[in-house]
């Protein structure tokens, strides 16, 4: 019978991972056991994806707020520091903020508005329009913000992040001053020691601040790039990609893990004879149309992957072919014509009208997003995802 199924994404259940566990062994065995249990076969170019959380846990990559505080104090002086452009998240940033504040006497907290970098809203654009505020140029004090907009709670969490972050800083023993601005150089009116907390625009923000005379500039990716008093660290991303672990510690983004994906790939090849691609994934790269939140709070979707996942899709748009090149065909003739066109397609379809509308994104970003949606972030217990048929097309 002709094959009727295309891409399939399966969550794979695994044991709870602890520090020091042989993760490559656990992942490969879990995938093989799932195949046996559910009655499916592994094939060449299947993708096994492992969530970054269990990679970091197996590495024991954790750090306390005391370690964060010590590194911040050493790198930014321990006096008044500007903390600019943080995302609004109890899980992602609040615990980091506590450590940051413990390493300073005063924090000038500069929040971007109307929303943070990943779309968490402080105030609606409609309210800005009604108040005659231009977010590109206007700087608001806390008093002015409250006068114009009052108390605004997050649509999903119910948290007033302005109050919450202020309380976190005070409880950590530092003074706090809150301002709202979108030009990074605004912070230089308050202090020339700056910790910029944006994720994907951090390099530009650092460059602008240094060009305007900032004395010391660090990003979250510059904090905990090396162990502090035996803590975990991340040489490439620092605190970026970290999550709350306990009330006093964070789990950092996994350290170098290319060896892990290669190890898993080899174990599966030895067990099945199939060449399977493997990746580590974090947040997917997609946007929620209701809350306007862009999911990608990690510094990248995939910190490690096998070489077969390098690149972007090279696909033809079937509906374009059906409506244009083969508009006079139908039935088996149409099927055969489209199949032949796919088989004959060039290795690089950039600029080909028949490829317009296909997704021009990295394979790891696309597959990582699929895996993030499959595994979820709660209690599904499936930190490994098996994707089959992703590289198939209409002719397979």
């Amino acid at each position: 019978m002709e094959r009727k199924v295309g891409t399939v994404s399966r969550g794979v259940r695994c044991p709870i991972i602890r520090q020091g566990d042989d993760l490559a062994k656990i992942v490969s065995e879990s995938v093989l056991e799932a195949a046996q249990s559910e009655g499916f076969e592994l094939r060449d170019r299947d993708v096994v994806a492992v969530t970054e959380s269990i990679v970091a846990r197996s590495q024991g990559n954790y750090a306390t707020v005391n370690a964060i505080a010590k590194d911040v104090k050493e790198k930014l002086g321990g006096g008044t520091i500007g903390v600019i452009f943080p995302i609004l998240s109890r899980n992602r940033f609040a615990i980091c903020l506590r450590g940051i504040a413990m390493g300073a006497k005063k924090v000038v907290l500069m929040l971007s508005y109307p929303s943070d970098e990943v779309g968490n809203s402080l105030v609606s654009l409609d309210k800005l329009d009604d108040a005659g505020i231009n977010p590109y140029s206007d700087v608001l004090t806390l008093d002015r913000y409250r006068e114009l907009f009052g108390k605004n709670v997050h649509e999903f969490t119910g948290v007033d992040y302005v109050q919450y972050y202020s309380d976190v800083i005070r409880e950590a023993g530092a003074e706090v001053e809150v301002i709202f601005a979108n030009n990074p150089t605004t912070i230089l009116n308050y202090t020339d020691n700056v910790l910029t907390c944006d994720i994907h625009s951090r390099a530009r923000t650092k460059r602008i601040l240094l060009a305007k005379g900032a004395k010391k500039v660090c990003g979250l990716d510059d904090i905990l790039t090396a162990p502090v008093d035996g803590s975990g660290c991340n040489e490439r991303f620092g605190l970026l990609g970290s999550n709350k672990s306990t009330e006093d510690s964070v789990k950092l983004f996994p350290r170098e893990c290319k060896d892990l994906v290669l190890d898993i790939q080899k174990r599966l090849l030895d067990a099945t004879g199939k060449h399977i691609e493997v990746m580590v994934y974090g947040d997917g790269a997609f946007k929620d149309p209701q809350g306007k939140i862009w999911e990608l709070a990690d510094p990248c979707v995939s910190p490690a992957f096998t070489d077969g996942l390098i690149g972007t899709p090279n696909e033809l748009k079937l509906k374009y072919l059906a409506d244009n090149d083969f508009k006079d065909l139908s039935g088996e003739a149409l099927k055969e014509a489209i199949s032949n066109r796919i088989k004959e397609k060039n290795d690089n379809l950039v600029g080909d009208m028949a490829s317009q509308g296909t997704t021009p994104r990295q394979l790891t970003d696309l597959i990582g997003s699929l895996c993030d949606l499959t595994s979820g972030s709660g209690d599904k217990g499936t930190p490994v995802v098996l994707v089959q048929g992703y590289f198939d097309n209409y002719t397979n």
Side-chain angles (χ1 to χ4, degrees), residues 323-358:
D323 291 345
N324 291 272
D325 297 32
F326 309 121
K327 62 183 178 181
D328 296 326
L329 300 179
S330 62
E332 284 299 317
L334 176 60
K335 179 180 178 180
E336 183 178 357
I338 289 180
S339 297
N340 289 335
R341 179 66 182 275
I342 292 172
K343 292 174 182 177
E344 296 166 358
K345 68 182 178 182
N346 294 326
D347 291 336
N348 186 348
L349 293 172
V350 174
D352 189 326
M353 287 297 290
S355 71
Q356 67 177 340
T358 56

